[in-house]
Amino acid sequence: MRPPWPVWPVLAGCLWAVGLALPSGLQAGGQPALAVALAADVEPLVRRLMARDQIPGVAVGVVDRGRLVFARGFGYRDVDSRLPVTPNTLFPLGSCSKAFTATAIALLADEGSIGLDTPVRTYLPDFSLQDAVASSTLTPRDLLTHRSGLPRHDLFWYEAPFSRDELYRRLRFLEPGGPPRARWRYNSLMFVVAARIVEKVSGQSWESFVQSRILRPLDMRRTFLSPEAMEADTDHASPHAIRDGRLQRIPMLKGLNAIAPAGAVQSSVRDLARWLVFQATRSPELLQERLWRELHRPQAEMPAAEQPEVQHPYYALGWIHESYRGHTLVVHNGAIDGFTAHLGFVPETGQGLIVLVNRERATAAVTALSYSAYDRLLGLEPLDWEGRPEETPLVLQAVRSVALDFPIEQVVGSYEHPAYGLITIRTHGDKLAMQFRSLRLSLVYQGGRRFLSPEPIADSAPQISVQFSKPKAGEPLKLLVLLNFDDVDDPVEIFTRVR
């Protein structure tokens, strides 16, 4: 009988010493000294974290002096087929994709085709958000630094049946969380707007521009811009998640074309080494130094990090600029169904780090591995990142049913939001059943025409609370749903019954 997760072999992925560093840095066997040190420190840590957190596969790469000096795959890219991870295995990057769109904007700014601080409407006259001030004043810099005033609105694009054009047109119906530039609020949708600027100004699709102006010049031949393209390659990682305490393979999240500029780049350690060499050292010189530095300069203050050693986090253009134990790092994490990623580099040394994992919500392991590697790269006394407390699971609110005080059939029907689309409500005994795209939840009455789902919307995610209006004669029934969960002042989305 197969155990609930693989028994981890000392799998290899051989150590790849690609483009060795200076001869004085070589150790026995011709391997760079840094590679030997990483093999001694990182490899045992990776295996322990994999066993602890039920992680099927990990790919790690380190760039030093403009070369990939450490590249290794651990475990399996697919637990069912037992195929190994290699430095060429493709992984989705999730939000690490944002830096590609930011670099595309920087390329256009570098040639004088756009200005980072020129209003978006200069390039997109039809750009419209619900906030008129945001619509008229937001700039490409605001889009790329999460200063639009919109909350995440991730459930707007996730599994949405919308094209990229339709997603863009529906932005004007999304509730803001505050005025523009008031504070940093993460929002992937503004990178779709940035990609539209790229398309309008260049006359190319976002995909074509990224391919011709970034991937080809950097010789990134195994980097793709959709999960469908990645899945067609024979060496790609499969997505996995913990379900009921066991590691399971899950379906690949596809149909990401609409949100691709914010989260659908797929790549490998070997290709990403070229990406980090460019980002860390401006080699090759695709950008003039001023715009290259603009990509990484701290621009929008972020909330304090959970780790006390990480100070002064600021969002740059598709990257995060932070101070780690007195040293500057430029980093970004990525997460999408079945995968977790980390990319980062040390500006003072030009060293870069790649960590790719084919298990979702593997943040604790990725954090431990990444900062342990930075300790080594920076020559710092190593901290016990592995021994840090793991993430505290979200505690669900107890759901106790309250006796209904109105006929439950009154609220059955389909409700529509001009951006999000349809939610369907049906009865299920004295409870309600709610469907939003593939999301299906039961709703238990809590009084005051409010219902709460006993189950979360996804693993480690919150529950859904909904409330029905009590309309006056002639008014349509409305469904009020909180679909953003980051802040207490996140807006409530209002759906109107249409049938």
Side-chain angles (χ1 to χ4, degrees):
M1 180 177 176
R2 180 179 294 181
W5 61 88
V7 177
W8 307 118
V10 181
L11 243 193
C14 346
L15 180 65
W16 294 50
V18 182
L20 298 178
L22 298 176
S24 60
L26 297 183
Q27 293 278 324
Q31 294 177 356
L34 178 60
V36 173
L38 288 167
D41 291 353
V42 172
E43 292 184 27
L45 174 61
V46 170
R47 294 192 186 97
R48 292 195 302 270
L49 291 171
M50 290 172 70
R52 185 193 77 180
D53 293 356
Q54 301 184 50
I55 294 173
V58 178
V60 180
V62 173
V63 170
D64 184 42
R65 303 181 189 181
R67 293 178 172 89
L68 178 62
V69 297
F70 181 90
R72 190 149 191 170
F74 302 85
Y76 301 110
R77 63 181 188 259
D78 186 297
V79 293
D80 296 331
S81 61
R82 302 294 179 99
L83 295 169
V85 174
T86 75
N88 288 318
T89 300
L90 297 172
F91 287 77
L93 303 185
S95 286
C96 296
S97 306
K98 290 178 169 64
F100 288 82
T101 298
T103 299
I105 288 286
L107 285 165
L108 291 175
D110 197 28
E111 66 189 29
S113 297
I114 66 169
L116 290 177
D117 299 304
T118 302
V120 170
R121 278 189 171 170
T122 304
Y123 316 108
L124 303 175
D126 63 344
F127 174 61
S128 182
L129 299 178
Q130 193 174 109
D131 185 316
V133 173
S135 301
S136 61
T137 66
L138 283 182
T139 66
R141 189 187 303 277
D142 295 323
L143 303 179
L144 300 176
T145 54
H146 302 290
R147 296 187 299 188
S148 69
L150 286 173
R152 295 184 72 106
H153 283 297
D154 285 343
L155 288 176
F156 165 54
W157 61 260
Y158 184 79
E159 294 188 338
F162 311 138
S163 66
R164 197 178 299 168
D165 285 346
E166 182 64 19
L167 202 73
Y168 173 77
R169 286 192 292 269
R170 288 175 178 244
L171 292 176
R172 67 187 187 274
F173 300 116
L174 293 176
E175 290 277 352
R181 302 187 192 91
R183 63 189 178 101
W184 180 88
R185 298 195 71 154
Y186 197 84
N187 181 279
S188 293
L189 296 161
M190 294 301 101
F191 280 76
V192 175
V193 180
R196 197 173 184 89
I197 293 174
V198 171
E199 294 179 336
K200 292 294 184 181
V201 172
S202 71
Q204 298 176 259
S205 68
W206 172 81
E207 288 83 356
S208 176
F209 188 93
V210 170
Q211 285 281 359
S212 63
R213 299 289 300 275
I214 298 175
L215 301 184
R216 287 179 196 148
L218 295 180
D219 197 26
M220 296 176 68
R221 301 179 186 181
R222 285 185 55 71
T223 297
F224 300 96
L225 304 178
S226 75
E228 290 82 0
M230 182 191 80
E231 202 169 37
D233 189 275
T234 55
D235 189 359
H236 72 271
S238 297
H240 300 80
I242 304 297
R243 298 285 188 267
D244 300 321
R246 299 177 67 250
L247 182 72
Q248 298 180 27
R249 178 174 170 173
I250 63 174
M252 185 79 73
L253 181 62
K254 299 180 184 179
L256 293 176
N257 176 265
I259 200 69
V265 177
Q266 335 277 318
S267 194
S268 66
V269 161
R270 186 182 277 271
D271 258 25
L272 289 169
R274 298 180 175 95
W275 175 239
L276 286 186
V277 167
F278 164 66
Q279 293 289 337
T281 67
R282 200 167 68 94
S283 176
E285 295 180 1
L286 301 186
L287 285 169
Q288 296 182 54
E289 185 171 358
R290 182 181 69 84
L291 266 300
W292 170 73
R293 291 191 180 280
E294 200 69 24
L295 286 172
H296 313 131
R297 180 175 66 82
Q299 301 187 43
E301 186 175 8
M302 298 171 60
E306 294 180 3
Q307 300 83 13
E309 296 83 5
V310 177
Q311 298 289 321
H312 314 301
Y314 279 78
Y315 210 82
L317 303 183
W319 290 98
I320 295 170
H321 182 287
E322 65 185 31
S323 175
Y324 173 63
R325 301 179 71 183
H327 297 268
T328 296
L329 299 180
V330 177
V331 300
H332 211 292
N333 285 352
I336 203 157
D337 294 22
F339 299 95
T340 311
H342 173 89
L343 299 181
F345 62 92
V346 184
E348 66 191 80
T349 66
Q351 296 168 311
L353 175 66
I354 304 154
V355 179
L356 307 173
V357 175
N358 61 338
R359 204 213 87 186
E360 71 180 26
R361 305 186 188 280
T363 307
V366 169
T367 298
L369 177 55
S370 299
Y371 286 112
S372 294
Y374 288 125
D375 284 342
R376 163 59 69 178
L377 294 179
L378 292 166
L380 301 173
E381 183 70 24
L383 300 179
D384 181 17
W385 283 98
E386 182 184 2
R388 297 284 176 100
E390 297 181 44
E391 294 179 19
T392 304
L394 186 69
V395 178
L396 297 180
Q397 181 179 341
V399 179
R400 294 181 175 85
S401 181
V402 172
L404 286 163
D405 51 13
F406 70 98
I408 196 171
E409 295 79 10
Q410 286 183 356
V411 298
V412 170
S414 295
Y415 296 76
E416 187 171 26
H417 184 281
Y420 281 83
L422 288 174
I423 284 180
T424 302
I425 300 292
R426 299 182 177 88
T427 57
H428 185 70
D430 62 349
K431 300 180 178 62
L432 294 175
M434 168 182 154
Q435 180 175 349
F436 174 63
R437 299 173 191 158
S438 67
L439 180 65
R440 291 172 171 82
L441 296 171
S442 59
L443 298 171
V444 178
Y445 191 52
Q446 303 296 289
R449 300 176 72 85
R450 188 177 77 89
F451 290 75
L452 180 66
S453 65
E455 65 271 32
I457 59 173
D459 285 354
S460 302
Q463 298 151 276
I464 283 278
S465 175
V466 308
Q467 188 169 22
F468 296 91
S469 67
K470 195 171 183 180
K472 298 177 182 177
E475 291 181 345
L477 184 62
K478 296 185 183 297
L479 172 63
L480 287 68
V481 191
L482 187 65
L483 294 176
N484 290 283
F485 311 101
D486 283 350
D487 292 303
V488 294
D489 60 346
D490 278 337
V492 172
E493 309 304 328
I494 300 175
F495 290 70
T496 302
R497 187 161 67 178
V498 292
R499 56 181 180 271

